[in-house]
């Protein structure tokens, strides 16, 4: 009796002689769908609903990382499946916190000012079920363009007109002073002027309100200074029902390199020694306490935990899970 394999072999041979495909083409194949899933991801931290929002992506080349020989940096990128000649794609994430009393956005993305690599935040915020006008507070981990320029639209008007925009006072004082502007090189001058324009746009509405040391930046959240990347760089900690989340801004830029080699710094750090010290101290604590973390440049959605591994750390991303009400 012919086996199933004999039958398949005979069918294949027949198809080959008749030049017929084994699986006939459908009369009409549906068109392809080039779009991607909306860039939001949601989880619950106690009573706080946390929505990660994708704003765009940049690229980190190993040449802008420091603190180890170039071949070591390249090897870490290769270990992560990356081509060091191309670099590491790095997400720009922001996070929306619905505490039940406030709708708080942590960082605002790069807006349209950074070209095609950023500016998706408003569309992803809407896809997640909210409107920009519903946000009442925007907390800023620091005032680099990829975190702050999304506060205004292409017309220079506030995109979150009902929100108070809040960087740390140390951060606002550093970037928004006249001497810094006067002494800045041309390229830097342009970004300082853009920052000044958006601070003025929110000030005009009475909504530019830097927070001082020890001040509560929003109800239910505390600020945690992490100076080094910038002088006023800080994280924000949310706690609810015994659960916690630390939104740590730019403590990590390169997931491939800086967990395994936390002493590695990046060109974007204002003070590389301080940034390194802040990262080393924080990663040790996060691993010890198994804190849930939200990172601005970790692979989207940028949520997960840190674990000690070897002389460094490993990143354990939160897996996807469907929300069930
Ligand atoms: Zn950044």
């Amino acid at each position: 009796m012919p086996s199933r394999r004999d039958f398949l072999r005979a069918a294949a041979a027949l198809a080959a002689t008749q030049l017929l495909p084994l699986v006939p083409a459908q009369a009409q194949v549906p068109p392809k769908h080039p779009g991607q899933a909306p860039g939001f991801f949601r989880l619950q931290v106690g009573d706080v609903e946390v929505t990660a929002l994708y704003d765009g992506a940049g690229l980190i080349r190993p040449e802008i990382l420091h603190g180890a020989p170039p071949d070591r940096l390249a090897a870490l990128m290769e270990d992560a499946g990356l081509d060091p000649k191309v670099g590491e794609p790095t997400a720009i994430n922001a996070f929306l916190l619905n505490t039940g009393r406030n709708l708080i956005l942590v960082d605002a993305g790069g807006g349209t000012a950074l070209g095609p690599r950023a500016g998706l935040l408003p569309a992803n915020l809407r896809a997640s079920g909210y409107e920009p006008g519903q946000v009442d507070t925007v907390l800023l981990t620091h005032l680099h363009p990829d975190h702050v320029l999304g506060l205004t639209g292409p017309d220079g008007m506030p995109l979150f007109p009902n929100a108070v925009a809040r960087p740390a006072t140390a951060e606002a004082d550093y970037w928004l002073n006249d001497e810094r502007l006067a002494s800045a090189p041309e390229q830097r001058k342009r970004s300082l002027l853009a920052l000044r324009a958006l601070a003025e746009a929110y000030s005009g509405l009475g909504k530019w309100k830097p927070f001082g040391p020890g001040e509560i930046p929003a109800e239910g959240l505390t600020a945690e200074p992490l100076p080094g990347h910038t002088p006023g760089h800080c994280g924000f900690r949310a706690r609810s029902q015994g659960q916690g989340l630390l939104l740590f801004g730019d403590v990590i830029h390169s997931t491939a390199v800086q967990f395994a080699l936390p002493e590695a710094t990046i060109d974007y750090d204002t003070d590389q020694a301080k940034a390194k010290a802040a990262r080393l101290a924080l990663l040790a604590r996060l691993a010890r306490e198994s804190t849930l973390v939200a990172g601005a440049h970790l692979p989207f959605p940028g949520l997960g935990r840190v674990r000690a591994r070897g002389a460094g750390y490993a990143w354990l991303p939160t897996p996807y899970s469907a929300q069930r009400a």
Side-chain angles (χ1 to χ4, degrees):
M1 186 171 151
S3 69
R4 181 177 148 77
R5 187 184 294 170
D6 291 338
F7 174 76
L8 288 174
R9 216 178 268 148
L14 182 67
T17 55
Q18 298 187 353
L19 297 176
L20 287 175
L22 280 173
V23 180
Q26 278 186 41
Q28 194 158 24
V29 177
K32 291 177 180 167
H33 296 280
Q36 183 53 283
F40 75 89
F41 175 89
R42 191 162 277 151
L43 55 70
Q44 201 74 22
V45 175
D47 291 334
V48 180
E49 176 202 83
V50 178
T51 307
L53 299 169
Y54 182 82
D55 186 55
L59 193 67
I60 293 180
R61 296 174 63 89
E63 303 91 86
I64 67 167
L65 295 164
H66 311 285
D71 56 345
R72 171 97 166 100
L73 297 171
L76 285 169
M77 286 208 173
E78 275 169 3
D79 282 351
L82 301 164
D83 179 350
K85 287 196 240 16
V86 176
E88 179 180 2
T90 184
I92 304 172
N93 304 317
F95 299 91
L96 188 69
L97 275 56
N98 187 338
T99 65
R101 296 175 68 95
N102 294 95
L103 189 61
I104 302 165
L105 182 64
V106 177
D107 287 336
T112 52
L114 296 184
R117 63 197 172 101
L120 298 175
L121 187 148
N124 286 327
L125 184 138
R126 288 192 170 95
S128 82
Y130 292 100
E131 287 296 322
Q134 295 175 310
V135 176
D136 58 57
T137 311
V138 182
L139 299 181
L140 299 159
T141 58
H142 61 301
L143 296 180
H144 273 167
D146 51 325
H147 298 257
V148 75
L149 293 185
L151 278 175
T152 50
D155 57 359
M157 298 300 286
L159 263 184
F160 305 96
N162 300 314
V164 174
R166 308 204 74 185
T169 310
E171 187 70 1
D173 289 351
Y174 180 80
W175 296 109
L176 294 168
N177 75 68
D178 295 338
E179 298 94 274
R180 182 159 307 281
L181 182 64
S183 63
E186 210 44 47
Q187 180 68 18
R188 176 61 63 82
K189 212 166 252 175
R190 245 180 294 152
S191 68
L192 289 177
L193 285 170
L195 179 60
R196 196 169 278 232
L198 70 85
E200 279 165 9
Y202 279 79
S203 293
L205 302 174
K207 290 183 177 294
W208 180 259
K209 296 195 173 159
F211 59 88
E215 195 180 327
I216 298 292
E219 192 179 322
L221 270 79
T222 51
E224 189 161 322
L226 297 166
H229 176 57
T230 61
H233 179 253
C234 65
F236 298 103
R237 196 177 280 272
R239 276 189 201 287
S240 174
Q241 305 285 356
Q243 297 180 38
L245 169 71
L246 178 70
L247 303 113
F248 74 17
D250 281 18
V251 166
I252 298 279
H253 289 85
S254 166
T255 300
V257 171
Q258 289 177 301
F259 283 110
L261 196 67
E263 55 270 42
T265 55
I266 192 162
D267 275 355
Y268 310 138
D269 293 333
T270 306
D271 183 329
Q272 303 214 355
K274 262 194 190 169
K276 173 176 136 181
R279 180 169 42 261
L280 287 171
L282 185 66
L283 290 181
R285 187 150 54 90
L286 295 177
R288 204 169 50 239
E289 296 170 1
S290 192
T291 311
L292 180 65
V293 167
H297 298 304
L298 299 173
F300 180 77
L303 291 155
R305 293 175 201 271
V306 177
R307 169 179 284 185
R309 181 173 293 167
Y313 298 91
W315 171 239
L316 310 179
T318 300
Y320 178 88
S321 145
Q323 283 285 307
R324 292 176 196 275

